[in-house]
Amino acid sequence: MILSPIAAPQAEDFLVDYYGVVSSSSDSNMLKMAQDVFFNQLKSIDGITVDDKRPDLSKASESLPHFIDTNAKVRFYAEVNDQKNDSGQTVWQCRFSVVTSSDGITHTVSAVYESYYKILVGAKTAIEKVLSDLKSPAPEFANADKANLEADFKTGVDIESLAGTWSGEPFADKIIILRGGRGFVIFKNGATMNIKISVKNATIDGMNTNLEISQVGKSNASFFPELPREQALACAATASPIKWNFSLTSADTLEGIKNTIIQTNDGTEPGTVNSSWSRR
C-alpha cells in the first residue's frame, strides 16, 4: 500500500512518544538493551524531541502498547522477536512502527539482524527510514554526514574509514563507530553513550589533534564508572559532554586526550586524561 504524504509541523515541533519494545522472546537482557538503544538512537536524530512513554523501563512489553493522548505527532514502538534462519542460527526480526496521531495510520520498516551487535549498527538506519517520510520539511538526517565528508576533503582525514569496533576505554566493553560520523560507547555497566565524530584541528596541552569525538545527549552517572557512585550521580546533573580530541596515528590507532570529570583530593572537577583507542 502506498502511503500518502502526511502534513507535519516544523522540525522543532516534531514530537515522538516512545513506547519501547514489544516481544514474546525470553531473552530479557537482550530486549532490555535493545529497548534502551532504540530510545537513545531516536534522541540522537536532529529535529526530533522524544518523550519516554514506556510502561516499564526494566523490560519489554508482551502486548502492543496502549497509546496515551498527548501533543506528540507520532507514536513509536518496535516489535522484536527471535527466530531460526535456514542455517539454524538465531536471528532477530525487528519491525519498527510509527503511528501518526492525526489519523492512526501505522507506518513500518522491517529488518532482520544476526546479533545484538548488528542491531546496534543497523537499527538507526531503519528508524530514520520509518520516520523520514513523516517530517516536513524533509529531514536533514544526512547534513552531519555531508559536513563531515566536506571536512575530510579539506583536511585529509577520512571519517568513513574509522567505521568499525574499537577498544581502549578502561570501563567500556566496546566502541562502535558507524559510517557518517556517528557511533556508540557501550560500557561494561550496561550503559550506552551516543557519540559523534567530526574533523576539528586543535592543539590540546601541546598536542596537535584533528578529530573530535563527543558525547551526544544528556550526561548519565553511568558515563563516569571510574568515580564512586555518589560522586558520579552528583556530577552527571551538571557535567559537560565528554569529549575526546584525537590524532589518527595509524589506520587503527587514535591517540589524544579525553575531557571528562576527574577525581581530586578535594572531590571532582573537569579535567583531562590521556586516551588511546585501537581498532579490533
Side-chain angles (χ1 to χ4, degrees):
M1 179 179 70
I2 299 176
L3 300 174
S4 59
I6 297 172
Q10 296 300 312
E12 61 267 27
D13 296 325
F14 196 82
L15 307 179
V16 177
D17 280 349
Y18 177 67
Y19 283 87
V21 166
V22 179
S23 181
S24 59
S25 172
S26 60
D27 193 339
S28 58
N29 289 333
M30 199 293 299
L31 294 173
K32 171 64 169 61
M33 290 189 292
Q35 179 166 258
D36 292 340
V37 164
F38 298 158
F39 181 54
N40 287 326
Q41 289 174 331
L42 273 173
K43 290 196 301 180
S44 71
I45 297 175
D46 293 336
I48 285 179
T49 299
V50 185
D51 194 1
D52 195 348
K53 298 297 184 183
R54 284 177 285 179
D56 190 337
L57 300 183
S58 66
K59 63 181 181 180
S61 299
E62 297 180 359
S63 58
L64 293 177
H66 173 69
F67 298 133
I68 302 170
D69 288 335
T70 67
N71 292 326
K73 302 307 175 184
V74 298
R75 292 84 172 253
F76 178 99
Y77 66 94
E79 295 169 86
V80 180
N81 286 291
D82 52 347
Q83 60 185 35
K84 299 290 185 180
N85 61 14
D86 295 339
S87 303
Q89 177 188 8
T90 298
V91 295
W92 294 95
Q93 176 74 46
C94 298
R95 182 166 66 179
F96 302 97
S97 296
V98 171
V99 181
T100 51
S101 303
S102 59
D103 53 22
I105 293 177
T106 301
H107 310 256
T108 64
V109 169
S110 296
V112 176
Y113 303 103
E114 297 176 355
S115 64
Y116 174 64
Y117 169 78
K118 295 291 186 181
I119 291 176
L120 278 176
V121 172
K124 188 177 181 184
T125 299
I127 291 172
E128 290 181 345
K129 184 177 180 181
V130 75
L131 285 167
S132 62
D133 293 336
L134 305 179
K135 294 185 66 185
S136 177
E140 299 294 338
F141 294 130
N143 277 359
D145 300 354
K146 181 180 179 182
N148 278 341
L149 292 175
E150 289 175 349
D152 291 351
F153 179 77
K154 294 177 181 178
T155 64
V157 177
D158 182 7
I159 288 180
E160 298 293 288
S161 69
L162 300 177
T165 303
W166 297 71
S167 61
E169 291 298 303
F171 296 91
D173 181 50
K174 66 181 68 172
I175 303 149
I176 299 172
I177 297 179
L178 309 176
R179 294 190 180 277
R182 299 282 179 172
F184 311 91
V185 177
I186 304 172
F187 292 90
K188 294 176 182 178
N189 59 22
T192 300
M193 177 199 294
N194 290 313
I195 55 174
K196 63 179 180 181
I197 301 92
S198 55
V199 175
K200 185 175 181 181
N201 292 314
T203 302
I204 310 293
D205 292 348
M207 177 184 294
N208 294 323
T209 62
N210 51 22
L211 283 174
E212 181 180 270
I213 300 178
S214 57
Q215 168 194 329
V216 176
K218 296 180 180 179
S219 290
N220 185 311
S222 297
F223 297 171
F224 307 99
E226 66 275 18
L227 300 179
R229 183 62 178 173
E230 290 186 1
Q231 290 184 345
L233 287 168
C235 291
T238 58
S240 298
I242 295 172
K243 291 183 180 181
W244 293 262
N245 290 96
F246 279 136
S247 292
L248 187 64
T249 58
S250 75
D252 298 316
T253 307
L254 295 170
E255 294 185 351
I257 293 172
K258 176 182 180 180
N259 296 268
T260 184
I261 301 297
I262 61 174
Q263 192 167 20
T264 67
N265 292 333
D266 298 323
T268 59
E269 62 182 26
T272 61
V273 294
N274 292 332
S275 183
S276 176
W277 292 4
S278 300
R279 195 195 307 264
R280 291 185 178 178

